[in-house]
Amino acid sequence: MAIKEDVYTRIFKIISYVIIIMASIACLLPFLLIISASLTSNESIIRDGYHFIPQQFSLEGYRTVFTFPEEVLRAYGVTIFTTVVGTTLGLFLMTMAGYVLARKDFKYRNAFSFYIYFTTLFGGGLVPWYIMLTKYLGLLDTYTVLIFPGLMTPFLIILMKNFIRSSMPEELFESAKIDGAGDFKIYYRIVLPLSTPGIATVGLFLALAYWNDWFSSSLFINDPHKYQLQYYLYNVINSMQFIAQMGAGTGVSLSSDMPTESTKMAMAIVVTGPILLLYPFIQRYFVKGLTIGAVKG
Amino acid sequence: MTFTKKRKQRMSILIAVMVIMALLAGCGGGSGNSAQKANGEDDKSQKVQLQFYMLGDAPKDLSTIEAEINKLAEKDLNATVKFNYTTWTDWDQKYKLLLSSGQPIDLIFTADWTQYQAYAKKGAFLPLDDLLPKAAPALQKFVPQDMWDGVKIGGKIYTVPGTYKEYVTNGFVWREDLREKYNLPKPTDIKSYEAYMDGIRQHEPNMKTVSLNSDIKGNLHDRYTELVTKSIGALPYGIGIKYEKPTEVYKFWGSDEQKEELNTYKRWADKGFIPKNVLNVKDTLQDQVTSGKAASIFGDNPTRFNDMVIKLKASHPDWKLEYYPFPLTTGYATPVHPIHNGFAIPKSSPNPARALAFYEKLVTDKRYNLLTQYGIEGKNYEVKDGYYHMIGSGSSNGFSREGMNSWAWRNPEYMLFDSGFDRVKKIFAELDKIQKPDLFTGFAEDYTTYQAEKAALEQVEKQYLYPLQAGLIDNVDQGLQTFLQKANQAGLEKIQTEYTKQWEAYVKEKGIK
């Protein structure tokens, strides 16, 4: 027999449902607007503004995007590649760093921790960073530059270190040592399996950072074939704004291959679409990673 | 005890890090492959790759064009070229980084709107005076001497100016079919333009009479000063200088002239010409007209007007656009200043001589020029009756006309035009009759002494002047007083004095009277 809910629980439920429904509508409406705009003819968007139901149905936006589909697909490829490689490599490096810094018998751990922590307080600024990567490391226009700078995030290293330190007692390492395990064996046989929740959290942060990254492309990539997805989209939308800003003073005439409003919207759909379809299937991992991370902080 | 030990550790780590940094710095030092001999001569037997930097987006077929150009350049100059594009996203920041980081760059685009004058003054570019006769004698001859003189900053040449003469002066753009239909006057000055807009308001109440967007200063004020107060250029900080009297600097802000200007906008706003939400509109001025949302533009240049006509011909053949250039009213037209389009060699260039030699080819050699301006003949374009004709459409063709943003190395002798461009040529021919030199663009402002005041003033302008210029303030006189008061607090006096001093020095140096 079902237990009857008391009044307060029911009121609470009703209120929370209402809030959630409103919040999801607030999230969905803009997206619907984009879909509708991508199916509207460009002229109608400028003349009548955006509507939830296209005033003048047209597929020209999608047609323009798919005249050169390889560009979007290539950008997709670059982003997937950097995300996968960056996350894997970054996780490897950061768990290693976290483990080493968590070991109490590592003599310089405080000094190293301080050095890592210090960089979160004082950065060199944009220009030295740019000079370092382009001039001294020669990374301009390479895939490395999209991955390399994000590999070791001080905050995530500290997170990893604290996680390992708090969840694994020193005695564990000691007993493993007595049993004859070397440092590296301890790392991959004991530390790694025990820190999956931490790895999930850090991995999630890393993957999101790589997926959403556009700034590295913006600064360091000149070859349009190596643009990341987010930057590709951002750039298309920006070119239009540039024209509006420059006004008539320059005589710059770029009208021929300017993306129109509907093309921009169609592009947004094409770019975000696949992730949207994928999201319901991977969502539970996201939730898991975040909640575990939250409890373990 | 433990404290000192810790400190020692920290020090040793710091030193270790520094050593590593220094090592890294040492490794990558020689990334630019220079072919300069010890005496500064260019060693042509050594193959080099030139780095070429452009603004904007790369055309889709860039790699094919680059390969073709490299085939030629390898034979002629033993060099290859890499064309790099900054895109329009944060381009000004990237431009700054490119020039300040000391990256090996051989050629970079310059213009007045990319602050050529300021960068040249700061020493970002290589002076070309000695290099030109040695590395690119044909180019030196090709560009007329008065253009070389025009781009000089502090007596030195820092950029190779583009030689194509065009006018980016403004003019009224309006819907001629509507004007004829309702028998309205032709806009030639503020009065007739207002009458035209009145008529549109009356007969087409759903249409915007004038196309505007959030850039109110550019859309209204800059156009207004060009047409009515005959200003020497788009002057900052409330400075006023008239074209007829270039040596006389006066205070435009607070003057009767400005009051009249602001009252005009107020009237327009009251009549509903300027929408209340104008500071939020993001559509381009041109789109608003070609989509039929707006009936006119208060000032656009002939080339853009032509682009609109061509666009309308395809989508709305029954609409007609007409154009009236401001210079016909003001009595003089200024062709673009040589600084408006050019290419400079940054200080960091490892091969300045070869870069200049390549640029000479780009401008004077027909094969190079046509390839980089129009693409591959037969694939990207064809020539019909002497006119340029694009193959396919803008979205299917990988290289549209001037698709490389190649405005700076246009060569008037080889240039191909779309047949629709005859309209622009006709306007240019008219303006040629009343042309006078641009006196303003050669001026290089140096704001290091009043940088803080400048930033403060910009904020004040945004907050107090823009609403006035959009006609949003009910009491114009009072609004202007408030603005002036705030501007004075921000340090207007100091800025104006400094600016005036610099301007007077410039006028004297160039012998402008």
Side-chain angles (χ1 to χ4, degrees):
Chain A
M1 196 186 112
I3 300 163
K4 208 177 168 207
E5 292 169 340
D6 69 63
V7 188
Y8 292 110
T9 320
R10 246 195 281 168
I11 291 175
F12 173 76
K13 273 195 174 168
I14 290 170
I15 292 174
S16 40
Y17 275 127
V18 169
I19 291 175
I20 288 175
I21 288 170
M22 291 211 308
S24 40
I25 288 177
C27 294
L28 276 176
L29 283 186
F31 204 77
L32 279 180
L33 207 57
I34 294 181
I35 295 181
S36 139
S38 74
L39 293 168
T40 312
S41 88
N42 187 51
E43 244 182 48
S44 150
I45 294 181
I46 294 167
R47 211 176 41 238
D48 316 318
Y50 295 97
H51 288 272
F52 281 109
I53 294 151
Q55 304 285 96
Q56 250 179 335
F57 185 81
S58 148
L59 284 173
E60 72 181 322
Y62 289 95
R63 218 170 285 137
T64 322
V65 174
F66 283 109
T67 352
F68 292 96
E70 64 265 39
E71 288 196 357
V72 181
L73 291 179
R74 204 183 295 115
Y76 244 111
V78 173
T79 296
I80 291 172
F81 173 76
T82 51
T83 307
V84 170
V85 174
T87 311
T88 333
L89 258 179
L91 273 180
F92 173 69
L93 290 173
M94 282 197 281
T95 46
M96 291 266 269
Y99 165 59
V100 169
L101 292 176
R103 282 282 293 261
K104 289 220 172 63
D105 49 347
F106 174 50
K107 205 173 156 195
Y108 299 111
R109 68 176 193 281
N110 282 330
F112 269 108
S113 300
F114 174 76
Y115 173 64
I116 291 169
Y117 173 63
F118 189 76
T119 57
T120 62
L121 297 179
F122 298 96
L126 183 66
V127 175
W129 185 56
Y130 182 84
I131 293 178
M132 179 79 192
L133 283 171
T134 55
K135 212 174 159 200
Y136 295 124
L137 299 180
L139 292 180
L140 199 71
D141 246 350
T142 56
Y143 288 115
T144 322
V145 82
L146 298 178
I147 297 169
F148 180 70
L151 281 180
M152 300 278 270
T153 319
F155 170 69
L156 294 181
I157 296 175
I158 294 167
L159 194 92
M160 203 67 215
K161 178 191 103 176
N162 288 341
F163 176 80
I164 292 174
R165 184 145 64 187
S166 61
S167 63
M168 280 161 242
E170 192 69 13
E171 291 75 26
L172 194 63
F173 304 144
E174 241 164 60
S175 71
K177 229 174 204 171
I178 292 167
D179 288 342
D183 285 328
F184 201 71
K185 192 154 204 166
I186 297 176
Y187 164 71
Y188 77 81
R189 292 298 284 273
I190 295 174
V191 176
L192 276 191
L194 281 178
S195 51
T196 32
I199 291 178
T201 318
V202 171
L204 181 67
F205 275 121
L206 255 185
L208 281 179
Y210 277 114
W211 185 268
N212 289 332
D213 181 35
W214 60 271
F215 195 58
S216 341
S217 281
S218 155
L219 280 185
F220 302 111
I221 302 292
N222 291 321
D223 179 359
H225 293 175
K226 288 178 187 152
Y227 286 163
Q228 286 160 301
L229 188 63
Q230 309 292 350
Y231 182 65
Y232 179 78
L233 182 67
Y234 183 47
N235 191 36
V236 167
I237 290 168
N238 242 309
S239 325
M240 197 68 191
Q241 260 163 10
F242 165 76
I243 308 294
Q245 270 170 22
M246 290 304 282
T250 59
V252 170
S253 150
L254 301 146
S255 55
S256 50
D257 47 355
M258 276 331 292
T260 57
E261 290 295 313
S262 57
T263 316
K264 288 195 290 197
M265 296 305 156
M267 185 112 41
I269 296 293
V270 170
V271 164
T272 48
I275 264 302
L276 252 129
L277 296 181
L278 203 65
Y279 197 75
F281 299 102
I282 52 170
Q283 188 213 21
R284 58 199 186 102
Y285 299 105
F286 274 79
V287 173
K288 220 183 190 172
L290 277 179
T291 46
I292 290 170
V295 174
K296 265 295 156 219
Chain B
M1 280 298 274
T2 48
F3 173 66
T4 45
K5 201 177 157 200
K6 249 188 196 163
R7 215 161 85 167
K8 252 190 203 162
Q9 284 178 357
R10 258 176 225 170
M11 280 306 284
S12 60
I13 300 252
L14 268 178
I15 289 166
V17 169
M18 280 175 184
V19 170
I20 291 171
M21 295 282 260
L23 277 177
L24 282 173
C27 290
S31 49
N33 51 341
S34 175
Q36 269 200 3
K37 282 184 194 158
N39 59 3
E41 291 273 298
D42 185 24
D43 180 8
K44 283 248 168 77
S45 67
Q46 225 173 316
K47 194 181 159 186
V48 295
Q49 189 181 36
L50 301 169
Q51 296 292 333
F52 197 102
Y53 272 85
M54 291 291 307
L55 293 185
D57 288 307
K60 295 187 183 91
D61 280 355
L62 180 67
S63 48
T64 351
I65 304 295
E66 196 178 272
E68 288 292 319
I69 285 289
N70 280 340
K71 256 188 249 162
L72 295 172
E74 218 168 337
K75 212 170 68 199
D76 297 338
L77 302 165
N78 198 21
T80 55
V81 187
K82 174 100 181 53
F83 292 107
N84 300 293
Y85 279 81
T86 62
T87 72
W88 292 123
T89 307
D90 297 333
W91 64 271
D92 38 0
Q93 190 191 24
K94 270 180 263 179
Y95 197 80
K96 203 189 287 165
L97 282 174
L98 287 173
L99 287 174
S100 61
S101 68
Q103 230 172 290
I105 299 167
D106 296 292
L107 286 160
I108 193 160
F109 177 75
T110 64
D112 48 351
W113 48 276
T114 67
Q115 275 91 50
Y116 158 74
Q117 300 99 310
Y119 281 116
K121 235 181 178 177
K122 279 186 213 148
F125 305 129
L126 201 71
L128 303 177
D129 304 69
D130 302 330
L131 203 57
L132 269 168
K134 268 189 278 176
L139 183 64
Q140 197 189 17
K141 232 176 278 158
F142 176 77
V143 178
Q145 187 56 40
D146 60 323
M147 288 192 119
W148 288 121
D149 290 338
V151 299
K152 276 185 184 167
I153 301 284
K156 288 233 166 24
I157 298 168
Y158 290 98
T159 192
V160 182
T163 54
Y164 170 62
K165 189 166 104 185
E166 62 178 331
Y167 292 87
V168 289
T169 49
N170 286 308
F172 292 112
V173 177
W174 72 89
R175 281 277 297 276
E176 176 70 5
D177 54 320
L178 295 178
R179 193 195 69 78
E180 275 171 357
K181 191 168 155 197
Y182 304 121
N183 193 25
L184 304 172
K186 261 190 190 170
T188 55
D189 53 18
I190 292 286
K191 218 176 130 208
S192 50
Y193 184 47
E194 204 166 316
Y196 168 80
M197 290 201 288
D198 278 332
I200 294 291
R201 166 96 314 179
Q202 196 189 332
H203 296 287
E204 299 273 347
N206 292 327
M207 218 169 179
K208 280 170 78 176
T209 55
V210 52
S211 177
L212 294 170
N213 62 27
S214 56
D215 178 23
I216 278 295
K217 181 181 172 294
N219 294 168
L220 290 174
H221 172 72
D222 288 352
R223 262 82 154 171
Y224 185 93
T225 49
E226 186 176 337
L227 176 69
V228 182
T229 60
K230 299 185 189 176
S231 167
I232 198 158
L235 292 160
Y237 321 127
I239 299 268
I241 303 169
K242 288 200 191 293
Y243 190 89
E244 289 101 344
K245 295 178 198 146
T247 50
E248 263 173 49
V249 181
Y250 67 99
K251 284 181 183 166
F252 177 70
W253 282 347
S255 66
D256 289 340
E257 261 177 13
Q258 194 197 14
K259 274 181 203 148
E260 194 191 316
E261 181 196 355
L262 295 178
N263 282 326
T264 308
Y265 302 147
K266 179 77 185 72
R267 202 165 60 236
W268 287 7
D270 289 342
K271 287 183 181 174
F273 299 164
I274 305 176
K276 287 259 183 308
N277 68 343
V278 64
L279 295 171
N280 295 322
V281 177
K282 295 283 174 214
D283 298 323
T284 65
L285 304 183
Q286 292 77 18
D287 275 351
Q288 295 183 42
V289 173
T290 51
S291 68
K293 188 180 183 178
S296 72
I297 297 182
F298 179 33
D300 210 342
N301 66 57
T303 314
R304 276 172 183 261
F305 158 69
N306 189 48
D307 288 343
M308 273 189 279
V309 174
I310 291 170
K311 206 169 170 189
L312 272 190
K313 205 157 66 184
S315 56
H316 295 282
D318 49 324
W319 297 359
K320 270 199 287 181
L321 278 187
E322 200 47 76
Y323 186 77
Y324 180 85
F326 288 171
L328 296 185
T329 297
T330 58
Y332 63 92
T334 53
V336 293
H337 196 277
I339 287 176
H340 192 64
N341 271 315
F343 260 87
I345 297 179
K347 266 263 162 69
S348 58
S349 164
N351 303 296
R354 198 79 62 91
L356 210 53
F358 173 76
Y359 196 70
E360 176 184 78
K361 287 272 176 207
L362 214 48
V363 179
T364 56
D365 191 314
K366 195 168 183 179
R367 297 167 302 165
Y368 287 72
N369 194 269
L370 289 184
L371 256 177
T372 49
Q373 296 284 0
Y374 311 111
I376 295 167
E377 187 165 7
K379 185 190 170 202
N380 299 116
Y381 76 102
E382 53 198 354
V383 182
K384 274 186 198 161
D385 312 321
Y387 286 118
Y388 169 89
H389 194 87
M390 185 198 272
I391 296 176
S393 72
S395 56
S396 66
N397 194 320
F399 197 100
S400 53
R401 184 173 180 276
E402 298 191 340
M404 275 177 78
N405 300 351
S406 50
W407 320 296
W409 66 88
R410 286 166 178 159
N411 184 331
E413 287 167 40
Y414 309 141
M415 272 177 94
L416 297 170
F417 294 97
D418 194 277
S419 57
F421 203 77
D422 286 348
R423 206 173 299 115
V424 180
K425 279 184 173 166
K426 224 174 83 194
I427 299 173
F428 282 4
E430 241 178 303
L431 298 181
D432 270 340
K433 288 180 214 150
I434 48 172
Q435 70 163 308
K436 280 185 183 172
D438 175 356
L439 302 178
F440 176 68
T441 312
F443 173 62
E445 181 195 353
D446 176 12
Y447 50 76
T448 37
T449 53
Y450 50 88
Q451 201 153 19
E453 287 85 0
K454 179 178 156 57
L457 184 63
E458 269 162 23
Q459 280 312 309
V460 173
E461 271 185 73
K462 253 183 218 151
Q463 200 177 340
Y464 296 98
L465 184 62
Y466 286 9
L468 273 172
Q469 290 176 335
L472 295 173
I473 309 285
D474 282 330
N475 190 335
V476 173
D477 285 328
Q478 208 180 335
L480 186 59
Q481 281 314 313
T482 322
F483 163 67
L484 283 175
Q485 194 194 335
K486 298 276 177 193
N488 279 325
Q489 279 169 14
L492 181 65
E493 195 67 36
K494 184 181 172 191
I495 301 177
Q496 287 185 332
T497 332
E498 271 300 311
Y499 193 92
T500 311
K501 226 187 280 168
Q502 291 182 25
W503 174 263
E504 278 164 355
Y506 163 74
V507 174
K508 213 164 153 197
E509 183 199 328
K510 294 266 168 178
I512 296 169
K513 272 182 210 99

